[in-house]
Amino acid sequence: MPESELPEDVCEEATRLTRLARDAVDPDERETYRSARDDLVGEYDFVARVRDEDAVLVLHPAEWVDADGTVTPAEIDNIDRGVEQPLSGTGEEHEWDAVEEHNARLVAVVAEEHGADHAANARSFADFLGNHYVRRIETAGAPEVREFVEEYYPRNAWPTAEQRSILSESLTLLFDAADAEVPEYN
């Protein structure tokens, strides 16, 4: 196991669940995502918290926390055991290139399986999300999708009438290609 003691896929899933919780409108849905995240990292005796001032998910060993939930500096034996995951962007080096490559693969799946009009819509969303937020498709939350649909798409995508009429379906197909659900943005 890496020094952090948390497998990379666990860190990624905890980050995804935290983003979903932040974007959820329904308090019960928000709590469900947080609970799932806490259970996931709890299996490794880790705890999660969000540092709001810089939008970072912090994952660290439970032994660092005392009974009232405060991190006790004396308990920190090796700071490398903790993990910080940015909640905006991807946290990867060369972020934009990695995000663009990932999102372009998803757009290609939509193009191959569903045709040019859906692909054009998918490409517009990938451009918006990559250029404005440096985020992978599956990490987009309701605020980003809403901004795309209401502001970016009408002004910047230059869609045909056909493309406009199928936008919602195109987004569903793109998120399906990413094995994710479109956040409720309406």
Side-chain angles (χ1 to χ4, degrees), residues 27-178:
D28 292 336
E29 180 184 10
R30 191 176 306 123
E31 185 51 39
T32 298
Y33 289 131
R34 285 184 187 142
S35 179
R37 176 204 61 205
D38 293 346
D39 290 348
L40 176 68
V41 299
E43 292 177 25
Y44 295 86
D45 293 323
F46 269 62
V47 295
R49 71 176 178 85
V50 174
R51 195 170 58 217
D52 289 321
E53 61 269 13
D54 58 356
V56 170
L57 172 64
V58 180
L59 305 168
H60 53 76
E63 65 199 49
W64 293 2
V65 182
D66 62 20
D68 70 355
T70 305
V71 173
T72 307
E75 295 296 324
I76 300 173
D77 54 347
N78 177 358
I79 61 169
D80 291 335
R81 292 177 65 205
V83 177
E84 293 189 355
Q85 297 281 101
L87 295 173
S88 59
T90 63
E92 300 174 9
E93 286 189 39
H94 311 340
E95 282 185 77
W96 189 89
D97 292 336
V99 167
E100 171 55 27
E101 183 179 315
H102 173 82
N103 290 348
R105 280 194 305 269
L106 299 175
V107 171
V109 168
V110 172
E112 184 177 314
E113 295 179 6
H114 305 286
D117 285 330
H118 284 300
N121 284 339
R123 182 72 255 171
S124 291
F125 185 67
D127 288 345
F128 164 76
L129 200 60
N131 293 334
H132 292 269
Y133 292 98
V134 192
R135 288 182 65 177
R136 295 172 182 245
I137 299 299
E138 63 273 18
T139 69
E144 292 86 14
V145 178
R146 188 177 311 110
E147 180 183 354
F148 171 75
V149 170
E150 294 174 2
E151 298 175 28
Y152 180 91
Y153 187 77
R155 294 185 187 129
N156 300 297
W158 300 89
T160 65
E162 173 63 18
Q163 290 166 349
R164 266 192 308 277
S165 72
I166 61 171
L167 177 60
S168 178
E169 182 183 355
S170 298
L171 290 173
T172 298
L173 295 171
L174 180 60
F175 275 81
D176 285 350

